[in-house]
Amino acid sequence: MNYRTDLTIELTEAAGETDGVYTDYSEKNGVKIAHTVIASYHAAESIGKPQGEYYTLEMLPFSDNAFEPEECFEAASDILAGMLPKHGGILAVGLGNEGITPDSLGPKAAGRILATRHISHELAEKCGLAPLRQTSVIAPGVLGQTGIEAAEVIRSLVKSIRPSAVIVIDAMASRSLSRLGCTLQISDSGISPGSGVGNNRPRIDSDYLGTRVISMGVPTVVDMQTLAADLCGERRARRVDSGMIVSPREIDLLTDRAANFIGMAVNAALQPHIHPKELMQLF
């Protein structure tokens, strides 16, 4: 049975020990971190994910946890900062459809990222914000809204503003309830929008854009057939309609808090000289 998931950690767990796939575990500020490296083409084929680094952060459910930024953003922002180039502008992209709640994570997170490309160095100094790293932010919408693939919009922007890296944020699918709404994946291998719900769009990665791509996402949905297999076993799951996608009852709260978490983690990674609480007051 094909388990539908965007989380690399779930694919590696299902595959078992695989040559060329390495995972180590750590913990920081109560956040459990799995660092997975897919080191070879053969391993990528076996797992079903491109070569690269994948960080899986597991924490309290976003829908239940009213967190303080200084206690929770550090693990995610430190990982992101370590994966980004030290210099150059950044383009942050929120993928998805804000009108569909489980798919609204990307646009909501984009709305919480501090755009600074338009702020001159002189103005930043006068406001006490210097040094600001140049950051551009966009939520390009979806093909059905614009008639343009998000990947095409992003590539055009990259050619125009030439960022040193692109951060792409999107909602994801999980194969298990235990990781739904409480897991953040950060990767340097790019992203395939809609893959977790069977709506594959053109892949957004460094080969396509010509610059480094870091993807971030939180699972907001579970495929019904995959969920049934997790709860009842594969045999019974085959009777379930595989076209159904399930989201939690508190999906509005989940996406809002997950978007806030990601937005503030990105801000902390890009503007480390500004305190997270000060950043939160800007939104």
Side-chain angles (χ1 to χ4, degrees):
M1 183 173 172
N2 182 27
Y3 292 115
R4 186 174 288 171
T5 178
D6 290 311
L7 296 178
T8 299
I9 192 68
E10 293 185 333
L11 294 172
T12 59
E13 288 173 349
E17 188 172 337
T18 305
D19 289 341
V21 179
Y22 311 98
T23 302
D24 59 72
Y25 300 89
S26 61
E27 186 170 330
K28 183 173 185 178
N29 291 347
V31 178
K32 297 178 181 178
I33 304 170
H35 177 211
T36 301
V37 177
I38 301 178
S40 68
Y41 175 80
H42 173 73
E45 289 286 300
S46 298
I47 298 299
K49 282 286 188 179
Q51 292 177 243
E53 283 188 279
Y54 299 82
Y55 288 89
T56 307
L57 287 71
E58 297 187 56
M59 59 204 84
L60 293 173
F62 289 111
S63 56
D64 298 339
N65 184 30
F67 47 77
E68 290 294 326
E70 64 267 28
E71 296 175 354
C72 295
F73 296 149
E74 189 175 344
S77 63
D78 284 354
I79 289 170
L80 180 60
M83 300 178 79
L84 290 170
K86 300 301 180 186
H87 305 285
I90 300 296
L91 172 62
V93 181
L95 298 178
N97 185 344
E98 194 165 8
I100 300 175
T101 307
D103 195 34
S104 64
L105 176 69
K108 286 181 178 179
R112 292 162 169 82
I113 296 173
L114 181 64
T116 63
R117 185 170 177 264
H118 60 295
I119 302 175
S120 68
H121 178 71
E122 292 78 11
L123 179 59
E125 282 192 334
K126 288 181 181 178
C127 296
L129 296 175
L132 282 179
R133 186 164 189 179
Q134 281 200 355
T135 305
S136 306
V137 185
I138 186 173
V142 295
L143 181 64
Q145 295 173 317
T146 65
I148 309 170
E149 291 284 4
E152 296 173 332
V153 175
I154 299 168
R155 185 164 65 172
S156 297
L157 284 171
V158 167
K159 289 180 179 178
S160 176
I161 66 178
R162 300 185 181 280
S164 63
V166 176
I167 300 172
V168 184
I169 304 159
D170 198 9
M172 293 181 168
S174 170
R175 66 146 292 185
S176 67
L177 285 174
S178 63
R179 289 194 170 99
L180 189 63
C182 60
T183 306
L184 172 67
Q185 178 172 280
I186 307 175
S187 169
D188 67 354
S189 66
I191 194 170
S192 295
S195 61
V197 294
N199 183 31
N200 293 336
R201 312 310 312 158
R203 184 165 184 81
I204 301 169
D205 57 20
S206 57
D207 290 338
Y208 183 76
L209 297 184
T211 191
R212 188 167 180 79
V213 177
I214 307 297
S215 64
M216 304 179 72
V218 171
T220 60
V221 296
V222 179
D223 176 74
M224 185 62 184
Q225 193 173 48
T226 303
L227 175 60
D230 195 34
L231 297 175
C232 307
E234 289 189 17
R235 190 173 178 181
R236 293 185 178 181
R238 296 184 190 280
R239 304 174 189 172
V240 177
D241 180 6
S242 60
M244 295 179 66
I245 299 294
V246 180
S247 64
R249 178 176 55 188
E250 63 277 8
I251 187 64
D252 298 82
L253 189 60
L254 189 161
T255 53
D256 281 343
R257 287 185 173 172
N260 188 63
F261 183 95
I262 292 175
M264 293 300 106
V266 172
N267 288 331
L270 297 180
Q271 319 296 346
H273 60 289
I274 305 177
H275 195 278
K277 283 189 174 180
E278 294 177 336
L279 287 168
M280 289 192 71
Q281 291 173 359
L282 298 175
F283 298 92

